[in-house]
Amino acid sequence: MNAKEDLIFFEDLFKQYYATLKLYAFRYVSNEDIAEDIAQDVFFTFGKIEQK
């Protein structure tokens, strides 16, 4: 994959799973802001791993 394909893949992955991941996190922390932070951190970490 090239960089453009990687970005498209990551964007699609984010769009498909962000809301579900945020809801899953919310069930544990009962705070929407923290759940959003957790979901974003997961994707940020995944993006860093993919760059290596």
Side-chain angles (χ1 to χ4, degrees):
M1 278 189 177
N2 63 35
K4 185 175 181 178
E5 290 171 333
D6 287 346
L7 181 59
I8 291 169
F9 172 77
F10 189 76
E11 287 175 347
D12 289 345
L13 191 70
F14 183 85
K15 288 175 186 176
Q16 184 173 356
Y17 291 106
Y18 177 77
T20 302
L21 184 57
K22 182 179 167 184
L23 179 61
Y24 185 79
F26 181 79
R27 290 179 184 165
Y28 284 92
V29 297
S30 300
N31 181 302
E32 190 170 347
D33 291 333
I34 294 173
E36 187 172 298
D37 288 344
I38 291 168
Q40 290 173 356
D41 285 348
V42 168
F43 281 101
F44 179 75
T45 301
F46 181 72
K48 283 178 32 177
I49 291 169
E50 285 296 308
Q51 290 178 357
K52 289 184 179 181

